[in-house]
Amino acid sequence: MRTASAHGPQVATCDLCDVYKNDESGQFRVLPPVFPSFGGVESFAGPAFTVKCFEDNSLVKAAVDSLGQGRVLVVDGGGSVRRALVGGNLAAAAARNGWAGVVVYGAVRDVAELRAAAVGIRALALMPLPTEKRNEGQSGVAVQLAGVTVRPGDWVYADADGVVVADRAIHPGA
């Protein structure tokens, strides 16, 4: 186990999986290994704030422009890699406003800027094409990322080994 930082408690996902590997309640979930790291921070953790949108990042921008308070923005982009939901400007805003990380079930862009931002970013792929702003989508709802449900307030833990989700904080000292 690691210590806490500005990006949430630093807990090894492998350690959490060792403890919860036999959990069949659905309270502990592991995202499939399709979310590589693109941000400037590899390990991050925090309670989830959710956005559901499709090829429109209006609500993503609104979220990262607000105070993150150590939360993780979880974006259900429907798995589309046709438009990037997060780019360099939004990553910089997320870092500036105290978000621990962003997990996108979709694409991101501006990889050099993402890597320079002091925030964790996970996504399916890179795509240079931006979204159109239509002000569509929902926030604060249960979302699906590659078949795994994430609810507002669930805890998201990410490191070099992967991303796990729990229905509550499960790190030591929580």
Side-chain angles (χ1 to χ4, degrees):
M1 301 287 171
R2 297 176 220 145
T3 60
S5 76
H7 296 96
Q10 299 300 294
V11 179
T13 59
C14 288
D15 290 346
L16 293 175
C17 286
D18 287 347
V19 173
Y20 293 96
K21 66 186 171 200
N22 295 321
D23 180 87
E24 295 178 7
S25 70
Q27 296 173 343
F28 180 81
R29 285 103 58 209
V30 180
L31 294 184
V34 295
F35 294 92
S37 178
F38 295 103
V41 174
E42 182 76 33
S43 299
F44 58 91
F49 179 84
T50 60
V51 167
K52 183 174 185 170
C53 57
F54 186 77
E55 297 180 2
D56 175 357
N57 70 349
S58 303
L59 292 178
V60 176
K61 181 180 182 337
V64 298
D65 283 344
S66 70
L67 292 178
Q69 301 172 317
R71 293 176 294 173
V72 175
L73 177 59
V74 178
V75 180
D76 177 357
S80 174
V81 293
R82 298 185 312 185
R83 301 280 181 150
L85 293 171
V86 174
N89 291 336
L90 297 190
R96 185 173 55 250
N97 289 318
W99 290 87
V102 181
V103 179
V104 181
Y105 187 44
V108 296
R109 67 189 223 146
D110 301 320
V111 71
E113 294 174 45
L114 298 179
R115 287 188 180 130
V119 65
I121 299 179
R122 299 297 185 101
L124 294 177
L126 292 169
M127 165 50 76
L129 194 61
T131 69
E132 295 294 328
K133 304 275 192 290
R134 298 181 309 271
N135 294 312
E136 294 177 357
Q138 300 171 286
S139 58
V141 297
V143 297
Q144 290 278 320
L145 278 69
V148 177
T149 300
V150 181
R151 294 173 189 81
D154 282 352
W155 268 75
V156 178
Y157 298 89
D159 66 9
D161 288 306
V163 183
V164 301
V165 180
D167 70 337
R168 66 193 185 289
I170 57 173
H171 54 276

